[in-house]
Amino acid sequence: LPPLVLDAFLRSDASRLSSWAKDLEFPSEETTYLNFLASHDGIGVRPAEGILPESSIENMVKKTRVHGGEVSYKSDKDGGKSPYELNITYFDALSDPNGDEPLDLQVRRFMSSQAIMLAFRGVPGIYFHSLVGSRNWNEGVKKTGRKRTINRKKFSLEELESDFSKTGSRRQRVLGKFKKLLRVRRQHEAFHPSAEQEIMDLSGGTFSFLRKSDGAAKSVLCIHSVSPDEQKVKISEISRHLDINDGVADLISGERFRKANWEENGIRLAPYEVLWLVEEQS
């Protein structure tokens, strides 16, 4: 999941991620997957071999370096070397820390990636530095001489409290959005680890899937934009997966989309917007 999600955002195209997810088989009703994007080690790329072309892996390596990260290599039998791990925070893997993009756009992109992990079938594993929106700790790499240190900074409580108290800061925004998504997830049975999942092809710029509960709870159509461009989802596509009478509502924002208003124009997603939609009845 980590390299496939990263590839989707770097290319603004979730088609490969969707193709992989369609063929994913869940072991049994008694077990499920632990879904994570970031860890204390880094973003492993070897699992993506055979799924992503070499050009995509090379692109991830290139972006990691441009974004201030490190790359760990393994020795091949032929004497060459090939990448096996990207050492970088997931926030910076998606956004250049030296770029001029607005912070709001960077946070939206990052949280769209994290929303995929939270909504995907299984149990989400949130790495601490993702929870608080950490950037690369390059000083740590210089101190220890170890590439993995880039995503292992230790904080004092005072340092974190100071960052969280700053209105509009990166850490405050990321943690606040995580808390909101987790509250929504906890309140809906369709996000149970065993609830069924069906991958949807709504547009190449979105990674979309339906979570379905066996009980009376409503299904949730999860749409995650991986693109900096506006995405459009047709009502005809949504109505194939949700029983729509009057419209749908977004569990995250509370926004309501009335069927009469968007039957022709469809739902438009802003760059990196996330919608978790349920059927709404009058």
Side-chain angles (χ1 to χ4, degrees), residues 111-126:
M111 291 310 303
S112 181
S113 74
Q114 304 305 295
I116 290 174
M117 174 187 67
L118 295 179
F120 204 71
R121 182 176 178 180
V123 176
I126 307 172

Side-chain angles (χ1 to χ4, degrees), residues 7 10 45 52-66 71 73 83 86:
D7 171 73
L10 292 182
V45 295
L52 297 179
E54 288 188 15
S55 59
S56 287
I57 295 177
E58 292 173 358
N59 184 48
M60 286 191 285
V61 168
K62 178 181 178 181
K63 288 293 185 181
T64 295
R65 288 177 173 150
V66 171
V71 180
Y73 290 85
L86 309 177

Side-chain angles (χ1 to χ4, degrees), residues 74-132:
K74 71 177 184 67
S75 298
D76 298 327
K77 293 181 179 180
D78 61 4
K81 292 185 178 182
S82 56
Y84 78 88
E85 186 177 88
L86 309 177
N87 305 114
I88 191 170
T89 66
Y90 215 85
F91 193 100
D92 280 351
L94 294 168
S95 299
D96 185 353
N98 297 314
D100 57 1
E101 285 185 323
L103 177 60
D104 180 65
L105 184 66
Q106 295 180 46
V107 171
R108 286 169 67 95
R109 180 191 291 123
F110 176 69
M111 291 310 303
S112 181
S113 74
Q114 304 305 295
I116 290 174
M117 174 187 67
L118 295 179
F120 204 71
R121 182 176 178 180
V123 176
I126 307 172
Y127 184 49
F128 179 79
H129 281 288
S130 292
L131 186 68
V132 298

Side-chain angles (χ1 to χ4, degrees), residues 230-281:
E230 182 184 82
Q231 298 295 304
K232 179 181 176 181
V233 179
K234 297 179 180 179
I235 175 61
S236 58
E237 293 293 329
I238 296 177
S239 60
R240 286 198 303 161
H241 311 298
L242 289 180
D243 294 326
I244 299 175
N245 291 322
D246 296 322
V248 292
D250 178 30
L251 295 175
I252 302 171
S253 66
E255 184 176 0
R256 293 171 171 81
F257 301 91
R258 310 304 293 179
K259 184 176 181 180
N261 296 335
W262 46 268
E263 190 159 14
E264 293 185 4
N265 297 325
I267 293 180
R268 298 181 183 274
L269 282 80
Y272 306 115
E273 186 173 6
V274 176
L275 297 176
W276 289 351
L277 302 176
V278 294
E279 174 194 358
E280 185 182 51
Q281 297 178 334

Side-chain angles (χ1 to χ4, degrees), residues 22-225:
K22 284 180 180 178
D23 294 333
L24 190 63
E25 295 183 1
F26 290 84
S28 73
E29 294 181 358
E30 287 77 33
T31 59
T32 191
Y33 287 110
L34 173 66
N35 302 319
F36 67 93
L37 294 180
S39 75
H40 65 294
D41 286 343
I43 304 170
V45 295
R46 294 210 63 197
E49 294 175 0
I51 301 175
L52 297 179
E54 288 188 15
S55 59
S56 287
I57 295 177
E58 292 173 358
N59 184 48
M60 286 191 285
V61 168
K62 178 181 178 181
K63 288 293 185 181
T64 295
R65 288 177 173 150
V66 171
H67 293 186
E70 303 281 349
V71 180
S72 296
Y73 290 85
K74 71 177 184 67
S75 298
D76 298 327
K77 293 181 179 180
D78 61 4
K81 292 185 178 182
S82 56
Y84 78 88
E85 186 177 88
L86 309 177
N87 305 114
I88 191 170
T89 66
Y90 215 85
F91 193 100
D92 280 351
L94 294 168
S95 299
D96 185 353
N98 297 314
D100 57 1
E101 285 185 323
L103 177 60
D104 180 65
L105 184 66
Q106 295 180 46
V107 171
R108 286 169 67 95
R109 180 191 291 123
F110 176 69
M111 291 310 303
S112 181
S113 74
Q114 304 305 295
I116 290 174
M117 174 187 67
L118 295 179
F120 204 71
R121 182 176 178 180
V123 176
I126 307 172
Y127 184 49
F128 179 79
H129 281 288
S130 292
L131 186 68
V132 298
S134 290
R135 309 211 80 141
N136 297 329
W137 189 37
N138 298 102
E139 291 181 14
V141 176
K142 294 178 181 178
K143 289 179 180 179
T144 65
R146 294 190 293 268
K147 296 178 180 179
R148 288 176 170 175
T149 306
I150 200 168
N151 201 15
R152 295 183 179 184
K153 182 178 180 179
K154 295 181 180 180
F155 299 95
S156 67
L157 178 60
E158 292 76 14
E159 183 179 357
L160 283 178
E161 288 180 336
S162 174
D163 286 342
F164 291 141
S165 68
K166 298 174 183 175
T167 302
S169 69
R170 183 184 69 258
R171 295 197 191 281
Q172 185 191 66
R173 294 188 192 196
V174 169
L175 181 61
K177 290 181 182 296
F178 257 120
K179 290 167 70 174
K180 187 170 187 177
L181 290 175
L182 288 169
R183 281 196 297 269
V184 172
R185 186 183 188 279
R186 188 169 60 243
Q187 293 168 355
H188 291 271
E189 190 176 330
F191 291 117
H192 188 279
S194 297
E196 293 184 14
Q197 175 174 283
E198 182 181 353
I199 306 300
M200 308 297 174
D201 291 320
L202 299 184
S203 76
T206 66
F207 181 50
S208 308
F209 48 86
L210 187 69
R211 295 300 309 275
K212 299 180 287 187
S213 171
D214 292 334
K218 296 178 180 179
S219 296
V220 181
L221 179 57
C222 305
I223 308 175
H224 311 88
S225 172

